[in-house]
Amino acid sequence: MRLVRLSVTSIVACLMGFVALLLVGLHSMSEMQEKQAEIKALMALHHRIGEFSVASDALLVNRAAPALRESYRAEATSLKQTLAALAEAHPAARRAIHYVDFLVGTLSVVYEQPNGLPEESEARRQADSPLLLPQRSQAIISQVAGYGIELDAAIREVTSQRQAQIARDANWIAAGFAGAAALFGLFCIVAFGLIFRRINGPLRALSWAARRVEAGEHDVRVPIAGSDEFAELSRTFNRMLDQQDAMVETLSDALATRRALIDSLPAHIALLDGDGKILDVNDQWRHYGTINGYRGKALGVGSNYLSICRASEGSSAEEAFEVADGLQAVLQGERDAFALEYPCHSPDQRRWFRLMASRLAPDLETEGMLGAVVMHVDITERKLAEKELKRQAYRDPLTGLANRLGFTDAFSKHIARQGWNPHDILALLDIREMRNVNDAHGYDVGDQLLIEMARRLEHHFSDDTLVGRITGDQFILLLPGEDFASPRECLDQLADMFHRPIRLSELVIELAARGGYTLLGEEERSPETLLHEVEIALHETRRHDNSEFCRYDREMDRLAQQRIDLTRDLRRALEDDQFELHYQPKVDLTTGDVIGCEALIRWMHPERGMQMPGQFIPVAEQSQLIGPIGDWVLFQACRHLREWREAGLDLVRVSVNVSVDQFRSGGFTRKVREALEVHAIDPASLTLEITESVFSEESATLRQQLDDLHALGVRLSLDDFGTGYSSLLYLQQYPFDEIKIDMGFVRGILDEPLNRNIVAMILGISQVMGADTVAEGVETTAVRDVLLELGCRIGQGYYYSMPLEVEDFRWLLEKKSRLPLMPPPPGTS
Ligand code: C2E
Ligand code: MG
Ligand code: MG
């Protein structure tokens, strides 16, 4: 039976019992009241009988009026009736009835006799003394008195009998009520005992199980009996324990996995409490402690990490204090984490560790500090790799000298060690012939040469000299000023190093160097600034090409900055299509017919207006921008040529100026072929004008490219002939179709006989080579006439036309008129 039902049933039964008890009580009370009333009635009867006896006596003594005797008889009847109700149970009541009857009868007899007592009574009443009554009357009176006494005795007996009976009844009523109450109490005890038994057993079992579980016993289960709520509760409790067991198992599995994971981590891990006390450590920590001979079984567990750090001495003390401070900050919640890399070298092994301390429960909701995890990760491999990388990053792998980064680093260390010396010299040198050596003998020889040069530089100068190789053929040196009488002597020694021939097995290679240098001076600068200075100085040396060493000054810097700005602007100009081609006619000097034209680039600068090539082509050449600019010129010129041809204009050739630098990348021939194909141009219609400087870069690849272009059918023109490097040897070797006499000779042709002879000589060479000759800078008819006289047939110059915008030049072609268009102004001949 379910406990609730049992409890409800018990309570209902108890209530019913209680009601029954109440009813019994009420009944008993009414019974008692009845008994009380009966006793009262008995007492009243007793009193009435006493009265009746007295009245009997009175009636006997004094003659009573008939009315009085009538009420006496009525009272007697009433008494008899009352006594008759008692007569059945009490014989004394029957006796009392008889005595009443005797009394009434005696009185009736007395009153019916004519000489009866009444006269005597009257006489006695008048005499006022019964003792004076006659003898018979005395006997009757005694008889009546005797009856009265008997009646009284009878009624007393009835009363006492009745009272005893009532007392017995009352006892029975009380006993009945007490019995009912006892029965009710017993029932209640039994019911609640039953309930208690049903509750107490399972409850005790449950609390016992709970205590066992609390004590850590997990295999405890509550025995289940019946199917009441406690059975259900016990089942649930057992299920909970089962689930808890499963959870504990899962948790312990997870913990074991985590523990295994933490133990297998390649880090020494310790868990600290909020005060820095070590609570637990992982296997790696123990292992490390064991193999390093740390004393104590606990390997630090239980000790205070902060105290250990603060007690450190010797070389590691500084880092240990730093760790203590950092860790304290973490433990106090001032920071979430702290990390430090530190060396921990053993006698036979160099080792580094990274310490990381992370705060546990870093969330702000957690009040106070729970602790921290400290991890030491062995970063030796990384450190060694870093060192190696640094070494590689700082070293030139070919020569073993410091590279750019290494040199700046060595420089900084040198200054830190020796201080800033204003007399020190920083020099940057490059080998002029390096490119030729590579071309002529191959890169292996070039490499050997660089290695040899590095050894030479290293060994020649004192130990205080820093030597590095910062790019292909550039060596940098920091030379102590004290080692030399003057900077000049220092530079001479340097140049001498490079000028001494280098012997590589069979080969003897002669070299020359050029360089830039800067004096450290009074103003301290960073190594990067100094490097920048010598690079600018070297650049200046290269630009002038007339001295071995340029010394840096600020003006160079300004110009260099200008070049940088210009380079940036040029790049933008290319993107924004700010270039234009102007065309200057090449004219038949005899007829004035336009037989070709030269494309000349112009830069329409948005702020500075039209910029001439001299203002930007050199910078474009230095910054590699000449490649894309030259390509643009090539394609643009071919496009215009195609447009003119499609328009039916009678133009044979277009000349395009090509910078030597455009040949360096090696793809120029392909570009030319592409431009010709894209615009379907006959290669013979395109002339490439290359200045004499091409020979300064004389190399096998350049020669190959020129041969390829020539084979393609493109005409090659040697521009500004006579100004530079040309030697007859070169002319013979290169396939030029045209030679342009530099305008310097042409303009001086009238005044300087030498110029006239030079022009004549050039015309002769061209003739021998089978090349056309074009005279540049024809500005007057007089010059034209002399040129014609010398046998020059083609010219170009302001006399005929300025370089024209493309629309104007097209107009000129359409007009098909001879040049010059206008007769020369008077006085120009
Ligand atoms: P260049 O190839 O020798 O071109 C001839 C230069 O002489 C042009 O100067 C032209 O305007 C100028 N000129 C022509 N006739 C006369 C004359 O009667 N008197 C005087 N005083 N000058 C005359 P520009 O256009 O300033 O070009 C200068 C140089 O810039 C060119 O010399 C050429 O070497 C270079 N250049 C021009 N355009 C390009 C180009 O597209 N690419 C490359 N790489 N260089 C170019
Ligand atoms: Mg030219
Ligand atoms: Mg020229």
Side-chain angles (χ1 to χ4, degrees):
M1 190 186 200
R2 294 181 69 79
L3 208 61
V4 173
R5 208 183 302 160
L6 179 69
S7 308
V8 171
T9 311
S10 303
I11 290 168
V12 169
C14 284
L15 276 174
M16 282 166 64
F18 179 71
V19 170
L21 186 67
L22 209 65
L23 289 175
V24 168
L26 286 174
H27 175 72
S28 302
M29 234 161 73
S30 76
E31 288 268 301
M32 293 297 269
Q33 278 169 353
E34 265 178 40
K35 300 297 171 199
Q36 250 179 354
E38 202 177 334
I39 287 173
K40 254 187 189 171
L42 273 179
M43 296 309 288
L45 182 64
H46 194 258
H47 180 72
R48 273 171 66 197
I49 285 186
E51 293 282 312
F52 182 73
S53 290
V54 173
S56 299
D57 285 346
L59 283 177
L60 195 62
V61 176
N62 303 313
R63 182 165 287 272
L68 196 62
R69 289 201 309 268
E70 202 47 45
S71 82
Y72 173 78
R73 266 194 293 273
E75 174 67 6
T77 308
S78 167
L79 284 174
K80 276 165 54 185
Q81 279 171 355
T82 307
L83 289 168
L86 299 167
E88 201 176 331
H90 305 283
R94 221 174 296 137
R95 264 195 349 260
I97 292 169
H98 288 309
Y99 287 121
V100 171
D101 283 341
F102 286 156
L103 283 174
V104 172
T106 303
L107 281 175
S108 298
V109 171
V110 171
Y111 272 91
E112 279 165 14
Q113 289 175 4
N115 55 347
L117 283 176
E119 294 87 12
E120 285 175 45
S121 298
E122 186 62 25
R124 208 184 49 167
R125 188 176 41 97
Q126 287 165 0
D128 206 16
S129 170
L131 296 175
L132 299 179
L133 291 175
Q135 197 69 31
R136 187 177 163 247
S137 295
Q138 281 292 333
I140 291 169
I141 289 167
S142 298
Q143 195 180 358
V144 167
Y147 289 152
I149 290 165
E150 285 298 325
L151 181 63
D152 193 48
I155 200 68
R156 269 184 207 283
E157 191 182 322
V158 169
T159 305
S160 71
Q161 276 180 359
R162 194 66 203 152
Q163 275 181 335
Q165 180 68 38
I166 287 171
R168 272 197 307 278
D169 287 352
N171 282 343
W172 277 115
I173 289 167
F177 180 73
L183 213 63
F184 173 70
L186 195 68
F187 175 76
C188 287
I189 288 168
V190 168
F192 285 103
L194 206 64
I195 293 173
F196 176 76
R197 209 168 140 254
R198 287 290 297 275
I199 291 175
N200 185 43
L203 204 61
R204 280 176 56 150
L206 269 169
S207 80
W208 169 82
R211 275 201 305 279
R212 298 266 58 78
V213 170
E214 200 180 29
E217 287 178 33
H218 295 291
D219 49 353
V220 176
R221 291 296 177 274
V222 184
I224 299 164
S227 59
D228 61 4
E229 288 85 345
F230 276 102
E232 234 167 64
L233 192 63
S234 302
R235 250 193 296 277
T236 310
F237 185 79
N238 287 348
R239 260 202 312 276
M240 269 168 57
L241 288 177
D242 289 344
Q243 284 171 359
Q244 183 184 316
D245 280 357
M247 244 160 66
V248 167
E249 204 173 320
T250 316
L251 263 175
S252 55
D253 281 358
L255 277 174
T257 313
R258 189 152 302 181
R259 180 82 214 182
L261 190 76
I262 291 171
D263 283 344
S264 64
L265 280 177
H268 314 144
I269 303 171
L271 178 69
L272 312 188
D273 71 4
D275 298 325
K277 195 171 102 179
I278 303 174
L279 300 176
D280 197 5
V281 297
N282 74 341
D283 274 1
Q284 295 288 339
W285 177 290
R286 287 197 185 86
H287 177 68
Y288 183 78
T290 311
I291 59 169
N292 284 284
Y294 289 120
R295 287 178 301 276
K297 261 189 196 166
L299 291 161
V301 176
S303 320
N304 191 293
Y305 199 91
L306 294 172
S307 312
I308 295 171
C309 290
R310 296 225 158 91
S312 272
E313 289 173 355
S315 58
S316 61
E318 200 178 319
E319 274 124 7
F321 290 152
E322 202 180 329
V323 169
D325 291 346
L327 188 56
Q328 180 133 35
V330 170
L331 289 171
Q332 287 173 351
E334 289 163 16
R335 53 195 293 187
D336 286 342
F338 165 78
L340 179 82
E341 291 184 3
Y342 63 94
C344 182
H345 308 316
S346 67
D348 55 341
Q349 202 190 358
R350 290 168 69 74
R351 266 198 307 222
W352 287 265
F353 284 90
R354 179 179 168 80
L355 174 139
M356 287 170 282
S358 327
R359 190 149 62 105
L360 286 176
D363 53 316
L364 295 172
E365 287 166 22
T366 316
E367 277 196 13
M369 185 57 239
L370 288 184
V373 173
V374 173
M375 244 193 282
H376 297 259
V377 182
D378 191 335
I379 53 164
T380 305
E381 276 182 30
R382 198 197 84 199
K383 275 281 175 192
L384 291 175
E386 271 176 11
K387 275 180 165 273
E388 178 56 22
L389 275 177
K390 193 173 172 190
R391 201 187 66 76
Q392 284 175 13
Y394 282 45
R395 288 275 142 206
D396 163 33
L398 180 68
T399 60
L401 294 180
N403 60 12
R404 188 185 188 98
L405 208 61
F407 187 82
T408 53
D409 184 57
F411 182 91
S412 302
K413 285 179 179 154
H414 173 86
I415 297 297
R417 203 170 49 241
Q418 314 234 342
W420 183 269
N421 184 356
H423 304 293
D424 285 357
I425 299 163
L426 188 70
L428 179 67
L429 297 97
D430 75 2
I431 303 169
R432 281 174 193 258
E433 293 84 2
M434 202 58 224
R435 188 188 176 86
N436 291 343
V437 172
N438 283 336
D439 280 353
H441 306 293
Y443 283 93
D444 281 352
V445 172
D447 286 352
Q448 289 304 313
L449 184 140
L450 289 169
I451 292 168
E452 180 55 32
M453 186 57 72
R455 295 291 85 77
R456 196 180 271 186
L457 292 171
E458 268 185 325
H459 293 131
H460 180 78
F461 296 104
S462 73
D463 287 350
D464 282 343
T465 305
L466 300 181
V467 186
R469 174 174 170 244
I470 61 168
T471 56
D473 60 353
Q474 289 186 357
F475 290 89
I476 188 151
L477 295 102
L478 177 72
L479 299 141
E482 286 78 29
D483 292 0
F484 309 96
S486 66
R488 188 68 259 157
E489 187 201 313
C490 166
L491 297 171
D492 286 346
Q493 277 195 28
L494 256 179
D496 187 48
M497 290 287 93
F498 282 84
H499 287 166
R500 286 212 317 262
I502 289 183
R503 193 176 295 277
L504 296 171
S505 57
E506 300 295 294
L507 285 171
V508 177
I509 299 171
E510 305 252 354
L511 294 175
R514 57 192 166 185
Y517 74 99
T518 186
L519 281 176
L520 263 57
E522 298 298 335
E523 186 195 343
E524 292 195 18
R525 278 105 71 210
S526 70
E528 288 77 17
T529 307
L530 289 165
L531 263 170
H532 169 73
E533 289 180 6
V534 287
E535 278 171 336
I536 287 184
L538 176 62
H539 184 79
E540 212 51 27
T541 309
R542 280 198 197 132
R543 250 168 37 95
H544 296 306
D545 209 23
N546 55 4
S547 65
E548 283 184 333
F549 287 98
C550 272
R551 180 181 167 184
Y552 167 81
D553 64 40
R554 287 191 194 281
E555 178 58 12
M556 283 180 192
D557 224 351
R558 198 186 61 76
L559 292 171
Q561 190 53 49
Q562 240 177 26
R563 281 198 296 278
I564 291 166
D565 293 346
L566 195 58
T567 308
R568 188 195 57 226
D569 291 352
L570 276 175
R571 194 163 283 124
R572 193 170 306 145
L574 203 58
E575 286 164 8
D576 296 352
D577 210 15
Q578 292 173 5
F579 293 115
E580 273 185 15
L581 283 186
H582 286 192
Y583 291 94
Q584 187 177 36
K586 285 183 177 175
V587 182
D588 184 327
L589 294 179
T590 322
T591 60
D593 286 336
V594 178
I595 56 167
C597 64
E598 179 177 5
L600 296 160
I601 192 167
R602 301 289 181 263
W603 177 12
M604 312 312 278
H605 195 285
E607 284 142 28
R608 299 199 290 270
M610 187 165 78
Q611 302 289 299
M612 301 305 279
Q615 293 171 284
F616 61 89
I617 288 292
V619 175
E621 286 173 342
Q622 286 160 23
S623 64
Q624 320 289 318
L625 276 175
I626 194 65
I629 292 176
D631 292 347
W632 179 87
V633 171
L634 183 68
F635 277 78
Q636 187 74 346
C638 288
R639 190 167 73 82
H640 286 150
L641 186 59
R642 190 192 67 199
E643 284 172 7
W644 296 330
R645 204 188 52 211
E646 285 171 358
L649 299 172
D650 189 16
L651 184 80
V652 194
R653 284 174 188 141
V654 170
S655 298
V656 168
N657 289 287
V658 178
S659 167
V660 185
D661 301 85
Q662 286 175 255
F663 290 102
R664 292 221 172 96
S665 64
F668 184 64
T669 314
R670 187 172 44 78
K671 279 273 179 234
V672 172
R673 192 179 290 122
E674 193 185 321
L676 293 172
E677 281 170 10
V678 166
H679 295 290
I681 303 288
D682 174 13
S685 305
L686 181 68
T687 304
L688 300 177
E689 293 191 11
I690 306 156
T691 59
E692 267 191 312
S693 60
V694 76
F695 299 125
S696 69
E697 304 281 332
E698 207 273 340
S699 72
T701 48
L702 175 68
R703 196 175 308 168
Q704 185 59 52
Q705 288 184 69
L706 291 177
D707 285 343
D708 290 347
L709 286 167
H710 192 253
L712 191 65
V714 171
R715 284 165 56 83
L716 299 177
S717 169
L718 189 57
D719 206 352
D720 301 341
F721 185 70
T723 51
Y725 300 85
S726 305
S727 78
L728 289 177
L729 195 66
Y730 284 143
L731 284 179
Q732 188 201 351
Q733 286 174 359
Y734 286 87
F736 283 105
D737 304 288
E738 179 183 278
I739 291 176
K740 291 182 83 172
I741 308 167
D742 186 71
M743 70 175 78
F745 303 117
V746 176
R747 271 199 247 137
I749 202 170
L750 297 175
D751 313 321
E752 299 262 347
L754 180 64
N755 284 342
R756 188 186 170 105
N757 290 340
I758 289 172
V759 171
M761 189 192 72
I762 295 172
L763 282 163
I765 292 170
S766 303
Q767 201 177 6
V768 173
M769 286 171 58
D772 290 339
T773 317
V774 179
E776 291 185 302
V778 181
E779 292 179 346
T780 62
T781 43
V783 171
R784 181 203 61 187
D785 293 343
V786 175
L787 286 169
L788 279 172
E789 202 179 298
L790 291 173
C792 182
R793 292 284 158 251
I794 308 166
Q796 181 183 348
Y798 294 167
Y799 170 71
Y800 293 105
S801 169
M802 302 284 285
L804 301 171
E805 287 182 27
V806 65
E807 292 81 14
D808 294 342
F809 185 70
R810 185 184 174 121
W811 172 84
L812 190 71
L813 291 179
E814 284 166 353
K815 222 168 166 262
K816 294 186 177 168
S817 60
R818 293 183 170 164
L819 295 177
L821 286 179
M822 309 253 255
T828 52
S829 56

